[in-house]
Amino acid sequence: MSFLSATLSRVKPSPTVAMTAKAAELKAAGRDIIGLSAGEPDFDTPQNIKDAAVAAIAAGKTKYTAPDGIIELKQAVCAKMKRDHGLEYTPAQVSVGTGGKQTLYNAFMATLNPGDEVIIPAPYWVSYPDMVLLAGGTPVVVETSLDTRFKLTAEQLDSAITPNTKWFIFNSPSNPTGAGYSRAELKALTDVLMRHPHVWVMTDDMYEHLAYDGFEFCTPAQVEPGLYPRTLTCNGVSKAYAMTGWRIGYAAGPVELITAMRKVQSQSTSNPCTISQWAAVEALNGTQEFLAPNAALFKRRRDLVISMLNAVDGIDCPTPEGAFYVYPSIAGLIGKTTPAGTLIDSDETFCTALLEKADVAVVFGAAFGLSPNFRVSYAASDAALTEACTRIQRFCASLV
Ligand SMILES: Cc1ncc(COP(=O)(O)O)c(C=O)c1O
């Protein structure tokens, strides 16, 4: 009998972690690797947020809290939902977890039974399918394409729904493509969902504030109030406030679901870090003035990367609406060979060769469920991005 659980055997190790480990290994060996694989802002947490954490420590706010968060943070989440989306929630409808990841995980653990299906548009954030598997459910992956700029169509959603569908997971702007759904595109999806009352919506709004060119962010319960009773709106402070290490995420939804999620959390991690919760109160209630300049900075970097990648013969890089990722297609490079004789037969061989020969770390598309592509995180300095894209250009030009 295996010592490890059968559930764990269904889950694959993270390919992004493997790629990052390989890059770290080469760096440790003295190579000048440029890493564009990390999913976090490259700037520091704003000072007012750090100050709030220091003040919390000084005031002795260093003990356990309620498992799913302090009332002050839940109230701040309610105020944010009202302010940004016109959605009314009470603190009893809010769950705070150790990062956005834990709130999503809690929701799946609290609701999935064997046979329950979760519709996941691909390319997807790497954790969605594995979280569903860990919770005992069945991921139903629906591939999008470059033609729709990686957005799921209403027809695709409709045909993926079965009597066993429990959740539809929605992520806009998206990791890994940056694609953001317009109000009309989202309405087309919510219209489908209104015809299937047994399907719940888990929306991951983590990249809400990272949107460019006047893109209007919308969340499903706002676009279709009829979905409010079966929507879990998930968000967090990690990306918008450069707080990845603080580990605070939150979700708002029906009381029964929030209560079930609390039960999961109370028997696993208990409350998220108390000091981080107080910092998150400041993030949500304090000044939001750095959001616009940060978005402007990311937009400039996005445009830089896209123009340099699209200058490469064989790469096609659409312009996404948000997040800090681009997801270029390398369909035009498949079948070519490196000067050392390696056949580029997949995005994985492309990214491995790029790392080994050109010292640039990116993540291959197969990790996100759609090939042949790669993900570039442009949360890096202009100089690093320019140098990395120059290396990518040189590497691609060397392929025959
Ligand atoms: C789409 C998406 N959702 C959720 C998360 C989790 O964020 P957190 O760091 O708050 O757990 C990430 C982090 O990369 C993400 O990209």
Side-chain angles (χ1 to χ4, degrees):
M1 215 203 338
S2 166
F3 174 66
L4 300 176
S5 76
T7 306
L8 193 68
S9 70
R10 302 175 72 199
V11 173
K12 60 182 181 331
S14 165
T16 52
V17 171
M19 211 56 195
T20 309
K22 174 91 184 144
E25 198 183 292
L26 291 175
K27 217 168 188 167
R31 292 265 292 271
D32 170 29
I33 304 291
I34 303 179
L36 302 182
S37 56
E40 62 183 350
D42 56 316
F43 46 84
D44 203 0
T45 306
Q47 192 58 44
N48 61 311
I49 298 174
K50 291 184 182 177
D51 291 345
V54 172
I57 294 172
K61 292 171 175 166
T62 54
K63 302 287 169 50
Y64 290 133
T65 69
D68 59 356
I70 54 175
I71 185 74
E72 290 83 351
L73 183 49
K74 291 184 174 200
Q75 284 166 340
V77 169
C78 295
K80 180 253 180 288
M81 290 288 172
K82 177 82 181 143
R83 177 176 75 228
D84 294 344
H85 317 301
L87 292 170
E88 297 281 354
Y89 286 99
T90 62
Q93 292 174 282
V94 173
S95 180
V96 179
T98 300
K101 195 175 237 178
Q102 192 186 23
T103 51
L104 296 162
Y105 185 75
N106 287 346
F108 286 135
M109 289 302 283
T111 57
L112 291 180
N113 291 309
D116 285 347
E117 296 173 359
V118 179
I119 296 175
I120 305 174
Y124 44 71
W125 180 44
V126 286
S127 295
Y128 297 146
D130 289 306
M131 281 188 190
V132 171
L133 288 168
L134 274 174
T138 305
V140 174
V141 172
V142 184
E143 281 192 11
T144 64
S145 69
L146 197 60
D147 300 340
T148 60
R149 300 178 62 244
F150 308 116
K151 293 178 205 175
L152 190 73
T153 64
E155 295 70 32
Q156 284 181 302
L157 176 59
D158 203 28
S159 51
I161 293 173
T162 75
N164 295 327
T165 307
K166 184 156 262 177
W167 287 103
F168 163 55
I169 185 146
F170 177 73
N171 175 219
S172 163
S174 145
N175 178 3
T177 64
Y181 289 66
S182 68
R183 183 177 279 269
E185 287 164 337
L186 178 51
K187 184 73 170 67
L189 299 182
T190 60
D191 283 351
V192 171
L193 294 162
M194 286 306 286
R195 294 200 299 274
H196 299 277
H198 68 291
V199 179
W200 281 59
V201 186
M202 193 179 299
T203 177
D204 181 349
D205 298 350
M206 194 56 84
Y207 293 93
E208 168 194 354
H209 289 296
L210 299 164
Y212 319 117
D213 305 326
F215 174 76
E216 182 210 2
F217 170 85
C218 313
T219 192
Q222 168 191 22
V223 167
E224 177 46 75
L227 287 175
Y228 177 90
R230 51 184 165 111
T231 297
L232 185 69
T233 301
C234 305
N235 207 321
V237 294
S238 297
K239 314 287 175 169
Y241 304 95
M243 292 176 71
T244 46
W246 298 73
R247 312 306 305 130
I248 295 292
Y250 57 84
V255 172
E256 301 72 24
L257 173 60
I258 296 295
T259 307
M261 288 166 64
R262 176 162 61 234
K263 199 165 162 188
V264 175
Q265 189 158 301
S266 70
Q267 297 297 12
S268 54
T269 59
S270 292
N271 65 276
C273 170
T274 306
I275 298 149
S276 296
Q277 290 190 63
W278 284 104
V281 170
E282 173 62 19
L284 294 180
N285 286 348
T287 175
Q288 306 290 306
E289 67 191 8
F290 47 84
L291 294 178
N294 284 352
L297 177 74
F298 277 131
K299 178 200 147 42
R300 203 187 63 223
R301 291 170 172 178
R302 178 200 65 176
D303 294 345
L304 165 74
V305 169
I306 287 171
S307 72
M308 290 189 76
L309 292 179
N310 276 330
V312 175
D313 226 11
I315 289 187
D316 184 359
C317 186
T319 302
E321 291 80 3
F324 38 68
Y325 310 106
V326 291
Y327 199 67
S329 162
I330 53 156
L333 298 173
I334 297 294
K336 294 198 169 195
T337 308
T338 67
T342 305
L343 174 68
I344 304 296
D345 58 357
S346 68
D347 47 33
E348 186 166 358
T349 35
F350 174 82
C351 293
T352 305
L354 186 68
L355 178 59
E356 283 169 358
K357 305 293 174 209
D359 292 347
V360 177
V362 292
V363 185
F364 54 93
F368 308 101
L370 195 84
S371 294
N373 293 72
F374 64 98
R375 186 192 78 173
V376 174
S377 164
Y378 55 83
S381 70
D382 287 18
L385 292 172
T386 306
E387 174 59 22
C389 290
T390 304
R391 291 182 192 181
I392 294 172
Q393 289 177 341
R394 229 183 284 133
F395 173 76
C396 294
S398 76
L399 302 176
V400 286

